[in-house]
Amino acid sequence: MRKTDFTDLDGKVLRVFLTILEESSVSKAADRLGVTQSAISHTLAKLRQVLGDPLFVRSGQGLTPTERALSLKDPAQNVLDAMRALTENRPFDPMLEDMQFQIATNDMPRELIFPELLRATRAEGVRLRLGFIPSGVPDPDLLRSDRCQLMLTPLPPDGPDIFQKRILCSPLMIFYDAERRCPPDSWHAYCATEHVDVRFPDGRSSRAVMRGVDQSQIRPPTVTLPHFNAIPSFVKGSDLISTDTALMKRGPLAALDCAPLPFKCEPVSIYMVWHQRSANDPAHRWVRNRIESTARALQT
């Protein structure tokens, strides 16, 4: 039996392994990492030879990890985290680094903050690449598995290894088409009105941000959508309404009219969330500061 030579393993190889484990697919891992499928296959072949195990076997349209692969998940992630920690005190100049971040967020924070942030950093000559995945009601394992490095969400996940900071606060508003209707002017009228709602993949509703309100009295949604960008198409030209943050008027719901809620409801806060492994990384700190300053400018 060939003896395992640990020097054949490096951070890039471990990252490929963890990504295949997360995606259960060579092609999806290649897309996520921005490399070719052949590069992923070559790395997987190298891992199989070094570790003396197939690691993944084909099952239907995807790959199923072996017991050996599953047992290596946490050790591989720990090694990557330790390697990342070695660079925390490195000299950092944003002009000299190629920075890439995967961010979990929904439509509004993505479209409100990041186009402006990217324009500003590119004008400065900073090489910054951003990828986005929908956060829905976010799971802390997205951060723990390094599937993303940041989240922006009104519903931050909990955990002793999860850090968060509030970067935006906005009241909830009624979005509607003024050519078709007036906004409801009382709690009773609001509850009786037909609504458009967003429902995330885990089944939870965007109404989760409506705190201090008895939602059992509100009429069930007439239309349920997978993301906020689709709301204007259904509200425009109809009697339907949508309840979302005032900041949506500067983003996905710019085409709609809006009015205050006719009842008391707590404003919605948007939090920036990250894993403790990234807390002291200078590039990560730099990006967090830029996100925070961009968000702050939106409320001045």
Side-chain angles (χ1 to χ4, degrees):
M1 181 179 295
R2 184 182 185 274
K3 184 178 180 181
T4 299
D5 184 354
F6 68 90
T7 61
D8 287 338
L9 301 177
D10 57 30
K12 291 181 179 179
V13 170
L14 295 180
R15 187 181 179 206
V16 166
F17 165 71
L18 289 170
T19 304
I20 299 173
L21 192 61
E22 180 76 24
E23 298 290 350
S24 300
S25 164
V26 167
S27 59
K28 290 180 180 178
D31 288 343
R32 181 168 149 192
L33 295 175
V35 299
T36 64
Q37 291 188 40
S38 61
I40 296 294
S41 297
H42 175 76
T43 301
L44 180 56
K46 177 180 178 180
L47 267 169
R48 284 167 165 163
Q49 182 179 20
V50 170
L51 298 176
D53 188 272
L55 297 176
F56 302 93
V57 294
R58 187 157 298 282
S59 176
Q61 298 298 313
L63 297 175
T64 298
T66 65
E67 290 297 323
R68 173 69 166 150
L70 292 173
S71 72
L72 290 172
K73 179 181 179 181
D74 289 342
Q77 187 65 66
N78 291 339
V79 169
L80 276 182
D81 291 347
M83 294 174 70
R84 184 182 287 109
L86 292 174
T87 69
E88 287 179 355
N89 296 319
R90 71 185 187 277
F92 173 73
D93 182 346
M95 302 295 292
L96 301 178
E97 295 214 12
D98 288 311
M99 291 180 283
Q100 181 175 1
F101 291 88
Q102 192 82 350
I103 299 166
T105 184
N106 292 324
D107 309 26
M108 186 273 286
R110 183 189 65 225
E111 297 187 11
L112 201 61
I113 293 174
F114 291 99
E116 176 59 32
L117 186 152
L118 193 60
R119 283 191 292 268
T121 54
R122 285 173 66 87
E124 297 165 12
V126 174
R127 296 188 297 273
L128 177 63
R129 290 185 291 162
L130 301 174
F132 295 94
I133 58 175
S135 61
V137 179
D139 187 330
D141 283 342
L142 286 174
L143 292 165
R144 290 175 179 142
S145 66
D146 208 27
R147 182 178 175 82
C148 69
Q149 292 76 54
L150 276 168
M151 290 178 176
L152 269 67
T153 175
L155 302 168
D158 292 325
D161 54 341
I162 304 298
F163 294 9
Q164 62 176 253
K165 186 172 186 178
R166 186 170 67 178
I167 60 170
L168 285 170
C169 188
S170 178
L172 285 168
M173 305 284 282
I174 296 171
F175 287 83
Y176 66 104
D177 184 349
E179 294 184 359
R180 291 299 305 267
R181 62 163 302 142
C182 294
D185 58 2
S186 68
W187 168 249
H188 177 75
Y190 177 86
C191 291
T193 300
E194 292 189 273
H195 297 251
V196 175
D197 190 21
V198 171
R199 192 165 300 277
F200 302 116
D202 67 356
R204 284 186 279 185
S205 165
S206 58
R207 287 185 185 176
V209 301
M210 295 182 68
R211 295 176 178 171
V213 173
D214 181 6
Q215 296 188 39
S216 66
Q217 299 184 45
I218 302 173
R219 184 172 182 164
T222 301
V223 178
T224 301
L225 299 168
H227 51 77
F228 296 96
N229 277 331
I231 291 173
S233 297
F234 286 88
V235 172
K236 202 72 175 173
S238 78
D239 294 331
L240 297 169
I241 67 168
S242 179
T243 304
D244 297 285
T245 66
L247 288 168
M248 286 282 196
K249 184 63 177 174
R250 302 174 67 170
L253 307 189
L256 301 178
D257 302 286
C258 65
L261 293 175
F263 52 88
K264 289 185 178 180
C265 184
E266 296 178 17
V268 176
S269 294
I270 304 295
Y271 296 86
M272 180 167 54
V273 188
W274 62 96
H275 192 268
Q276 66 179 8
R277 76 166 69 88
S278 304
N280 297 317
D281 179 77
H284 203 282
R285 281 200 309 266
W286 182 87
V287 168
R288 295 199 305 266
N289 288 337
R290 293 301 296 257
I291 291 172
E292 187 177 359
S293 63
T294 304
R296 191 185 306 119
L298 294 170
Q299 299 190 303
T300 58

